[in-house]
Amino acid sequence: MFPTGRLTTLMLTAAAAGLAAGPALAGDGQPSPWQLGFQNAASPIFEQIHSFHNFILVIITVITLFVLALLVYCVVRFSEKNNPTPSRTTHHTMLEVVWTIAPVLILVVIAIPSFRLLYAQYSPPPADVTIKVVGRQWNWDIVYPDANELTLTAVMLQESELNGKPRLLAVDNEAVVPVGKVVHVDVTAEDVLHSFAMPAFGVKVDAVPGRLNSTWFRADKEGVYYGQCSELCGQDHAFMPIVIRVVNDDLYKRWLEAAKNSTEEAKKLLEASVGGAAATVAQR
């Protein structure tokens, strides 16, 4: 048995270490160890989702505490010891009016930002870039209809191929889009139900065989963003990630031209650009 003082010291040290490590482990565009809450928002829609979530969290916390207080009050005030002769009141008009109207008003307060968010999600602005995502067992095709139907097949990297990239999330061919541009995404599947999900953009839409669903996003920060199939699509469901790299407009145009000729050359262009950017940051 540890002495109480020593045990307390160990617990405080562990907690401090966890708090210190938290910011270092956090990252944009992918899950973080010990993550609490959503990923950091990389699009206006996901920022709106963050705000709506926090708003609802306040409401449900207040309701929970209020109900808890009522329960405690009832247990104490109306116990047999404190209230040996119980009231035989069976109806209270004002109380019934309040507990009918109050939930309705709360739902109205919740509905207003909810409808505003839904309208923003399903009323996309005109597209700057359109891509088509096709799910199959168990990888994704990313098609650029405006670039002579350029098609990239994204297959999950094996552990020996990661080179520092996140396990179960990295792929051999990343989709590339320009920063600050409206991207329309048409989503379908070839075999069974899949689901295209990109958490940092606040995007999730089912991929249904024989049907074309659509969504949109506008990434406001450059970087690499990871998503996965979010539908139980078969035995390799857990190994079906998709990656979107957001780059500046000039690099996107150069990458697109290179990818039309050779996906390998396009990869090298991205790697060289990322390496150069990292070297510039290191020099600063």
Side-chain angles (χ1 to χ4, degrees), residues 2-257:
F2 281 110
T4 304
R6 185 178 178 187
L7 180 60
T8 302
T9 302
L10 287 173
M11 292 174 65
L12 291 175
T13 303
L19 290 173
L25 294 172
D28 291 334
Q30 60 180 297
S32 302
W34 299 97
Q35 177 179 322
L36 180 64
F38 296 140
Q39 291 183 22
N40 294 333
S43 73
I45 290 295
F46 201 35
E47 289 176 358
Q48 201 168 335
I49 292 173
H50 271 259
S51 298
F52 182 62
H53 169 268
N54 294 337
F55 174 67
I56 296 297
L57 183 60
V58 171
I59 292 177
I60 63 176
T61 301
V62 171
I63 292 174
T64 302
L65 293 176
F66 176 69
V67 173
L68 176 62
L70 285 180
L71 288 172
V72 172
Y73 175 79
C74 290
V75 168
V76 174
R77 173 67 180 80
F78 298 107
S79 66
E80 184 178 4
K81 179 181 177 180
N82 295 326
N83 191 45
T85 306
S87 169
R88 296 186 178 278
T89 303
T90 58
H91 293 81
H92 191 291
T93 303
M94 181 56 68
L95 184 60
E96 292 182 359
V97 169
V98 169
W99 74 35
T100 300
I101 293 179
V104 172
L105 294 178
I106 292 172
L107 290 176
V108 170
V109 170
I110 292 174
I112 294 171
S114 174
F115 291 152
R116 188 182 298 123
L117 174 59
L118 285 172
Y119 181 80
Q121 286 180 308
Y122 294 103
S123 301
D128 297 307
V129 176
T130 299
I131 62 175
K132 181 179 179 181
V133 177
V134 183
R136 65 167 62 88
Q137 297 173 314
W138 282 274
N139 55 62
W140 298 93
D141 271 357
I142 304 100
V143 183
Y144 290 77
D146 299 329
N148 300 324
E149 296 293 323
L150 169 65
T151 301
L152 307 174
T153 299
V155 178
M156 188 188 77
L157 295 179
Q158 300 303 308
E159 293 200 28
S160 60
E161 305 171 306
L162 290 176
N163 293 324
K165 295 179 180 179
R167 178 177 173 269
L168 300 181
L169 290 174
V171 298
D172 55 352
N173 287 307
E174 303 169 349
V176 179
V177 300
V179 67
K181 302 292 185 180
V182 175
V183 180
H184 284 198
V185 186
D186 295 327
V187 182
T188 189
E190 283 192 353
D191 36 44
V192 299
L193 289 174
H194 299 282
S195 185
F196 170 78
M198 192 59 59
F201 299 155
V203 166
K204 182 177 183 296
V205 61
D206 285 343
V208 182
R211 178 172 177 175
L212 194 67
N213 291 330
S214 64
T215 185
W216 73 281
F217 64 87
R218 191 191 76 208
D220 290 336
K221 294 188 288 186
E222 293 184 35
V224 183
Y225 299 92
Y226 298 90
Q228 290 176 299
C229 176
S230 296
E231 191 79 48
L232 292 175
C233 58
Q235 66 176 4
D236 285 341
H237 159 72
F239 311 106
M240 193 174 167
I242 188 167
V243 181
I244 296 180
R245 183 181 292 271
V246 181
V247 300
N248 63 67
D249 195 50
D250 177 65
L251 178 56
Y252 169 72
K253 291 177 180 176
R254 290 190 288 125
W255 171 86
L256 195 60
E257 288 301 317

